[in-house]
């Protein structure tokens, strides 16, 4: 298109203000000129063009340049714009069926060409519909058109809709200033009371899709069109309002943050200028120096910490090395260097604390008081390593707590059960990521003194793995000669643990390595007899269960005979944990009744136990008796137990000896020794010397499913075989223990206390013990020895004298 044409077109076009309304009320016409009946068409793709709009339109120069040149040469300078949702691949081969029903007749202004594009201002005039195609093979496309008509007088309903549209537009204006520009443009050309252009203008304001807007363009009847547009406009108002709220909220938050950040930075600078605060590095250094005040460091520790502090003062706070050094100083300055707590060396107070927390355990309490007495005499208690050994539930951990309380020292407990990594004891090396000091340094940090009571629980249950052997790492810790200079790998500083009182606990000594056991002082807690358990239940366990359930003593009580029946029938083990569980069960059952009747008073007697706890777990064991049956005594990790042994002759066809009862190697050997000894000395003990030459003998230890082992059944097995050979039942109510040699000597055994308790529990009051264990028996408390007759045997002949 030439420049001449452009200028001509520009001069020729009427001013928008001189456009006047046609009588139809729907279309627009130029002064003194009717609407053309033949026009060229151009498809547009973004959204439909409305009659109430004046907007620039951009099209490709190829193939629409010729169309625009022809429009410029025409008298009316108009063309029709039709909306197409999907652009045609090739505009030269036009699919006429793709065009919608209605388009818009526009007047072309200010056409120009730039960079392969044509641009012109389109001024919407009226809706237009194609009547017939005059040229549709290739552009320019020429069509014959017609214009819709509708009544000029608007009805009341149309006026009401018009008001609603105007109100919605008013709401839109404050939300987005762009709308007000469009409204000014519209008011320059139309009356606000004219419903048709108002509706089209309202539709053009919305951000609806092209197809939705085309539906509005296709809808000629006024009322229907308004019904379509009003919801679209209301939706637009809501969206605009929401957007405004969101952006206001975002701006508000950003503003607040910026203000806060700005003020904080200003405050930091002002404070630093006035010397009121320091930066992070200075604050850290000051904190570490404060921690060391009042502590007495060794020369090595002081030198090392000073070096690390100097290093920290040079490093950048953001560097990884800074974090490592800071973490190291955090631990090193937390250790209570040279800070010792004051011990309460008052033996009366200690005795009171021990009696308050524990019933029974008289010998254990005496042992602890002796240990405290030495400290009181000397004026200080230097570190000692005590190992409390005993079955589960006898109160080993609580004894450790009581020692700490009686001394007035802080108490720290950690369990070694399952520990497999020596770094838990001695710390990791600082080079590793996530390195930490060992548990002992952590304990000292927590208790804030260098002389606490540290309990190492379950020392017999430590593991071993490729990561190391924690039992060996404990050797340095628990050796009074070495732990003066205990070295933690993380701190790499010498710590004095010689004033720490270590209390270790174990159920059995078998799994503790010899060198470690050698460093500890063993105190045995062997379990309780019935009388002690009754006292413990009354004084400690029953009140504890009542408090746990929130039941008053007046509402629920249990008498002594019921406690005794409970212990004999349901909780016969060495400790009191099972007893505590059964008492808890009784309280829970009673609470169920108290909920139904809150004012009830429940008194539990022996007859009430079965209803709450079921049938007794333990029956009064019938002590087996008869020819070839002897009651032995055994020690287990759960306490002492009686162990009957039976012997019988199966036949006399050939000599033989058979063993059953899941016996360990040691017990099998004991049986072989007993068989050999009794066979060779049968005449001496008044039996038929030929008895074993032609007898096939079977020796059985009942409860075949339970594994049994240990070096204390030799005497019992020999007695059973002798009873069988003499065909004479042994003396009733006698139990025995002892190891036998091939020459008939009776060797000493362990666990005398547990075995005596087990015999008393079975109401056996006559015992045979090795002579070498006389001292162990005499050391027992009087209440255990009371009413028990003991025969001490040096040789097997002494045993035979008592039995037969």
């Amino acid at each position: 298109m030439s420049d001449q044409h452009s200028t001509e077109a520009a001069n020729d076009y009427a001013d928008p203000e001189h456009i006047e309304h046609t009588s139809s009320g729907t279309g627009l016409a130029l002064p003194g000129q009717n609407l053309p009946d033949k026009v060229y068409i151009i498809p547009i793709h973004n959204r439909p063009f409305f009659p109430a709009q004046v907007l620039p339109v951009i099209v490709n120069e190829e193939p629409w340049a010729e169309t625009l040149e022809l429009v410029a040469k025409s008298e009316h300078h108009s063309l029709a714009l039709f909306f197409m949702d999907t652009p045609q691949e090739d505009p030269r081969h036009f699919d006429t069926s793709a065009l919608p029903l209605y388009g818009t007749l526009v007047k072309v202004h200010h056409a120009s060409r730039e960079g392969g594009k044509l641009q012109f201002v389109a001024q919407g005039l009226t809706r237009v519909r194609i009547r017939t195609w005059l040229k549709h093979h290739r552009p320019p496309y020429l069509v014959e058109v017609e214009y819709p008509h509708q009544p000029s007088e608007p009805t009341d309903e149309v006026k009401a809709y018009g008001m609603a549209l105007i109100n919605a537009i008013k709401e839109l204006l404050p939300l987005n200033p762009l709308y007000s520009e469009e409204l000014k443009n519209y008011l320059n050309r139309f009356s606000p009371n004219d419903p048709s252009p108002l509706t089209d203008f309202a539709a053009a304001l919305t951000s609806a899709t092209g197809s939705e807007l085309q539906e509005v363009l296709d809808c000629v009847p006024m009322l229907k069109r308004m019904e379509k547009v009003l919801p679209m406009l209301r939706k637009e108002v809501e969206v605009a309002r929401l957007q405004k709220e969101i952006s206001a909220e975002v701006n508000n938050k950003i503003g607040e943050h910026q203000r806060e950040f700005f003020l904080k930075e200003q405050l930091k600078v002002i404070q630093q200028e006035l010397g009121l605060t320091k930066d992070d590095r200075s604050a850290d250094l000051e904190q570490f120096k404060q921690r060391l005040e009042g502590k007495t460091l060794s020369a090595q520790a002081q030198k090392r910490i000073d070096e690390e502090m100097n290093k920290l003062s040079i490093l950048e706070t953001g560097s990884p090395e800074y974090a490592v050094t800071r973490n190291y100083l955090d631990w090193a300055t937390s250790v209570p260097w040279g800070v010792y707590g004051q011990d309460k060396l008052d033996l009366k107070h200690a005795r009171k604390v021990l009696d308050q927390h524990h019933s029974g355990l008289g010998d254990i309490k005496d042992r602890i008081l002796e240990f405290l007495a030495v400290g009181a005499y000397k004026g200080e208690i230097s570190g000692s390593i005590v190992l409390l050994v005993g079955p589960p539930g006898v109160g080993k951990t609580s004894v450790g707590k009581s020692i700490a309380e009686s001394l007035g020292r802080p108490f720290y407990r950690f369990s070694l059960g399952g520990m497999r990594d020596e770094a838990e004891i001695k710390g990791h090396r600082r080079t590793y990521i996530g390195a930490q000091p060992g548990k002992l340094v952590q304990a000292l940090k927590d208790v804030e003194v260098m002389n606490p009571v540290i309990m190492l629980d379950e020392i017999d249950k430590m593991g071993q793995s490729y990561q190391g052997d924690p039992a060996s790492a404990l050797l340095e810790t628990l050796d009074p000669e070495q732990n003066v200079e205990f070295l933690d790998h993380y701190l790499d500083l010498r710590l004095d643990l010689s004033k720490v009182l270590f209390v270790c606990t174990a159920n059995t000594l078998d799994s503790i390595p010899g060198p470690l056991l050698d460093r500890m002082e063993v105190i045995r807690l062997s379990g309780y007899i019935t009388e002690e358990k009754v006292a413990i239940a009354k004084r400690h366990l029953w009140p504890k269960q009542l408090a746990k359930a929130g039941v008053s003593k007046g509402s629920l009580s249990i008498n002594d005979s019921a406690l005794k029946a409970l212990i004999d029938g349901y909780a016969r083990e060495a400790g009191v944990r099972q007893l505590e569980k059964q008492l808890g069960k009784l309280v829970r059952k009673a609470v169920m009744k108290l909920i139904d009747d809150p004012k009830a008073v429940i008194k539990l007697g022996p007859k009430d136990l079965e209803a709450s706890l079921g049938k007794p777990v333990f029956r009064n064991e019938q002590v087996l008796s008869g020819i070839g049956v002897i009651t032995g005594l055994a020690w287990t990790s759960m306490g002492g137990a009686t162990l009957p042994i039976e012997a019988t002759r199966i036949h006399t066809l050939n000599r033989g000896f058979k063993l059953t009862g899941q016996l360990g190697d040691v017990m099998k050997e004991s049986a072989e020794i007993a068989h050999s000894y009794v066979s060779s000395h049968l005449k001496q003990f008044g039996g038929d010397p030929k008895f074993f030459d032609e007898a096939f003998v079977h020796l059985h230890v009942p409860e075949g499913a339970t594994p049994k082992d240990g070096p204390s059944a030799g005497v019992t097995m020999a007695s059973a075989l002798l009873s069988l050979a003499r065909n004479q039942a042994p003396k009733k109510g006698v139990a025995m223990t002892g190891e036998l040699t091939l020459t008939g000597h009776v060797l000493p055994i362990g666990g005398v206390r547990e075995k005596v308790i087990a015999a008393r529990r079975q109401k056996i009051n006559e015992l045979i013990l090795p002579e070498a264990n006389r001292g162990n028996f005499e050391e027992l408390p009087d209440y255990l020895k009371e009413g028990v007759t003991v025969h001490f045997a040096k040789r097997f002949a002494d045993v035979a004298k008592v039995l037969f």
Side-chain angles (χ1 to χ4, degrees):
M1 193 188 289
S2 65
D3 291 327
Q4 186 189 350
H5 281 134
S6 301
T7 321
E8 217 174 82
N11 296 338
D12 224 50
Y13 296 145
D15 189 82
E17 289 179 15
H18 297 132
I19 296 169
E20 55 188 34
H21 300 283
T22 59
S23 59
S24 70
T26 59
L28 294 161
L30 299 170
Q33 187 182 330
N34 286 329
L35 297 169
D37 54 355
K38 291 177 186 172
V39 290
Y40 292 99
I41 69 165
I42 291 180
I44 51 174
H45 305 297
N46 289 343
R47 50 193 277 150
F49 202 98
F50 280 94
Q53 285 181 298
V54 179
L55 283 175
V57 176
I58 300 172
V59 294
N60 291 326
E61 190 176 340
E62 182 61 39
W64 305 114
E66 195 182 338
T67 305
L68 278 175
E69 281 177 15
L70 291 167
V71 168
K73 288 174 185 173
S74 68
E75 282 179 31
H76 46 76
H77 303 300
S78 304
L79 59 81
L81 294 177
F82 279 84
F83 170 68
M84 285 185 77
D85 213 346
T86 48
Q88 294 285 318
E89 281 179 28
D90 183 4
R92 294 177 184 282
H93 301 95
F94 199 64
D95 180 10
T96 55
S97 63
L99 286 183
L101 185 61
Y102 279 97
T104 302
L105 184 73
V106 299
K107 192 138 200 192
V108 176
H109 298 266
H110 308 298
S112 64
R113 162 190 321 210
E114 196 176 314
K117 298 282 182 187
L118 294 170
Q119 190 171 332
F120 60 91
V121 175
Q123 175 191 345
L125 301 176
T126 182
R127 280 171 173 69
V128 61
R129 188 165 67 189
I130 300 169
R131 188 189 288 164
T132 50
W133 285 80
L134 302 175
K135 186 181 177 195
H136 60 80
H137 297 298
R138 61 183 188 81
Y141 300 118
L142 184 64
V143 292
E144 194 176 313
V145 294
E146 61 184 6
Y147 305 99
H149 292 277
Q150 67 174 47
S152 57
E153 281 303 313
T155 61
D156 290 344
E157 221 173 329
V158 168
K159 282 179 184 173
Y161 267 104
M163 287 305 295
L165 288 173
I166 288 169
N167 286 337
I169 292 168
K170 275 184 189 171
E171 283 183 54
L172 264 182
L173 291 179
L175 299 174
N176 190 335
L178 291 175
Y179 295 131
S180 58
E181 288 302 314
E182 289 192 38
L183 184 65
K184 274 182 199 168
N185 203 359
Y186 167 77
L187 291 174
N188 284 338
R189 300 170 55 222
F190 301 101
S191 156
N193 300 323
D194 198 342
S196 181
L198 177 68
T199 310
D200 289 343
F201 170 67
L205 282 183
T206 67
S207 55
T209 61
S211 51
E212 285 175 330
L213 293 172
Q214 183 60 49
E215 281 178 29
V216 174
L217 195 63
D218 288 346
C219 185
V220 176
M222 199 65 253
L223 197 58
K224 270 191 182 174
R225 200 189 325 162
M226 287 179 138
E227 283 172 359
K228 275 183 192 293
V229 173
L230 189 59
M232 288 163 70
L233 194 59
R234 291 300 326 165
K235 184 182 171 187
E236 196 66 27
V237 171
E238 290 307 313
V239 170
R241 182 174 288 130
L242 191 61
Q243 277 178 335
K244 187 165 185 181
E245 280 174 17
I246 291 168
S247 63
E249 200 173 318
V250 170
N251 289 339
N252 191 27
K253 276 187 183 170
I254 291 170
E256 270 178 28
H257 283 306
Q258 283 178 331
R259 183 169 175 274
E260 208 172 287
F261 174 76
F262 182 65
L263 288 172
K264 274 182 183 169
E265 289 302 309
Q266 275 190 325
L267 185 65
K268 267 188 196 173
V269 174
I270 292 166
Q271 285 178 330
Q272 280 178 14
E273 287 294 319
L274 294 172
L276 296 175
T277 60
K278 296 161 187 67
D279 57 7
D280 292 346
R281 191 194 291 114
S282 310
D284 284 343
L285 284 166
E286 194 162 296
Q287 184 192 6
F288 297 145
K289 280 174 186 163
Q290 274 176 352
R291 278 192 198 166
L292 293 175
E293 284 171 16
K295 293 180 181 176
T296 313
L297 278 75
S298 65
Q300 178 217 9
Q302 186 69 58
K303 184 185 170 196
R304 183 66 183 278
I305 288 173
D306 288 345
E307 283 171 5
E308 293 291 332
M309 293 245 205
N310 290 336
K311 189 170 161 188
L312 193 75
S313 62
I314 302 162
L315 289 167
E316 277 301 316
T317 49
S319 75
E321 185 64 18
Y322 180 87
V324 171
T325 309
R326 191 197 173 286
N327 202 32
Y328 175 82
L329 281 169
D330 188 29
W331 278 107
T333 55
S334 296
V335 174
W337 302 99
V339 178
Y340 293 95
Q342 193 65 42
D343 286 335
K344 283 184 197 163
L345 298 173
D346 179 355
L347 295 184
K348 283 182 185 171
H349 167 74
R351 166 69 77 182
K352 190 176 169 187
V353 169
L354 290 168
D355 284 341
Q356 193 180 331
H357 290 200
H358 304 276
S359 297
L361 302 180
D363 47 344
I364 306 299
K365 290 177 191 172
D366 290 342
R367 176 67 198 79
I368 291 165
L369 288 168
E370 285 164 18
F371 164 72
L372 297 179
V374 171
Y377 187 77
K378 187 183 170 189
E380 66 158 1
I381 291 182
S382 50
S384 181
I385 292 98
V386 177
L387 172 62
L388 302 171
V389 185
V394 293
K396 298 182 294 296
T397 306
S398 53
V399 165
K401 281 185 188 166
S402 299
I403 293 172
E405 193 177 322
S406 59
L407 278 173
R409 286 190 182 190
F411 178 75
Y412 187 92
R413 173 192 166 276
F414 65 94
S415 177
L416 300 172
M419 188 185 283
R420 294 179 305 175
D421 187 357
E422 71 200 23
E424 296 269 347
I425 307 288
K426 302 201 70 167
H428 305 89
R429 301 190 191 284
R430 240 175 101 185
T431 46
Y432 302 135
I433 290 171
Q436 273 197 320
K439 276 274 187 286
L440 293 162
V441 174
Q442 293 179 33
L444 294 177
K445 179 188 173 181
D446 281 7
V447 297
E448 297 177 354
V449 290
M450 290 298 275
N451 60 340
V453 174
I454 293 181
M455 172 163 276
L456 308 175
D457 230 345
E458 315 290 2
I459 201 166
D460 56 330
K461 295 179 185 63
M462 269 188 295
Q464 262 187 326
S465 75
Y466 64 91
Q467 288 161 305
D469 174 11
S472 301
L474 274 176
L475 292 177
E476 182 190 359
T477 312
L478 300 183
D479 189 337
E481 299 301 317
Q482 292 180 47
N483 67 14
V484 179
E485 292 202 327
F486 172 77
L487 184 70
D488 182 87
H489 289 160
Y490 178 82
L491 290 180
D492 206 18
L493 294 172
R494 300 280 174 187
L495 291 162
D496 181 5
L497 299 183
S498 63
K499 299 286 189 288
V500 176
L501 173 52
F502 288 101
V503 181
C504 311
T505 71
N507 294 133
T508 167
L509 300 179
D510 303 347
S511 55
I512 303 175
L516 185 57
L517 191 58
D518 185 47
R519 286 162 163 79
M520 300 188 278
E521 197 170 333
V522 178
I523 298 179
R524 288 186 176 275
L525 285 79
S526 48
Y528 304 103
I529 56 173
T530 307
E531 290 77 11
E532 287 177 320
K533 282 190 177 180
V534 170
I536 291 167
K538 275 168 74 175
R539 282 180 55 186
H540 302 285
L541 306 181
W542 183 251
K544 183 176 165 187
Q545 290 299 330
L546 289 180
K548 200 172 171 184
V551 179
S552 69
K553 288 178 185 175
S555 305
L556 178 61
S557 59
I558 185 166
N559 61 28
D560 287 9
S561 52
L563 282 174
K564 212 161 189 181
L566 174 66
I567 290 160
D568 282 342
Y570 301 88
R572 222 180 253 186
E573 83 294 355
V576 291
R577 204 167 276 146
Q578 192 63 33
L579 174 57
E580 189 173 4
K581 285 179 190 169
Q582 299 296 352
L583 290 172
K585 207 170 184 180
L586 286 175
V587 172
R588 289 197 300 274
K589 300 275 185 191
V591 168
M592 292 289 286
K593 293 176 189 169
L594 288 172
I595 282 176
D596 294 335
D597 180 8
K599 291 180 182 175
V601 175
I602 300 172
K603 292 182 177 176
L604 297 173
K607 291 175 184 174
D608 304 316
L609 297 181
E610 256 185 63
S612 296
L613 306 176
K615 291 280 180 194
V617 181
F618 301 99
R619 297 174 309 283
N620 276 338
E621 283 180 32
Q622 203 62 41
V623 177
L624 301 177
S625 60
I627 294 169
V629 180
I630 300 284
T631 303
L633 294 169
W635 178 90
T636 70
S637 65
M638 298 295 282
T642 53
L643 189 73
I645 290 178
E646 307 168 323
T648 185
R649 183 172 65 173
I650 301 172
H651 56 72
T652 55
L653 301 174
N654 61 328
R655 179 189 172 93
F657 187 51
K658 182 181 179 182
L659 281 173
T660 55
Q662 209 174 335
L663 309 180
D665 292 341
V666 178
M667 272 186 101
K668 282 178 186 167
E669 284 184 3
S670 294
E672 296 287 350
I673 291 165
H675 186 242
S676 300
Y677 177 76
V678 174
S679 302
S680 56
H681 295 81
L682 204 46
K683 190 177 180 186
Q684 181 189 333
F685 296 121
D688 177 3
K690 292 178 182 173
F691 179 84
F692 286 108
D693 295 347
E694 51 198 30
F696 190 93
V697 176
H698 183 171
L699 188 88
H700 175 64
V701 185
E703 288 192 50
T706 312
K708 304 165 200 74
D709 200 8
S712 65
V715 169
T716 321
M717 289 171 164
S719 303
L721 292 170
L722 181 57
S723 168
L724 179 68
R726 285 178 60 138
N727 197 25
Q728 180 187 353
K731 185 179 178 183
K732 277 191 174 181
V734 178
M736 66 184 70
T737 179
E739 185 53 291
L740 186 66
T741 69
L742 210 47
T743 52
H745 287 88
V746 179
L747 298 181
I749 44 83
V752 171
R753 181 186 171 117
E754 288 88 341
K755 290 175 179 177
V756 171
I757 289 174
R760 285 186 63 121
R761 205 181 289 135
Q762 292 297 343
K763 312 245 181 333
I764 297 172
N765 294 325
E766 196 169 346
L767 306 178
I768 300 173
L769 301 176
E771 173 64 45
N773 287 111
R774 188 187 285 271
N776 300 92
F777 179 77
E778 284 171 0
E779 279 175 12
L780 293 181
D782 292 341
Y783 66 83
L784 283 182
K785 294 189 284 188
E786 195 182 327
V788 177
T789 310
V790 180
H791 307 280
F792 294 103
K794 266 187 181 175
R795 298 183 62 83
F796 183 69
D798 304 333
V799 178
K801 262 185 215 164
V802 176
L803 287 178
F804 305 108

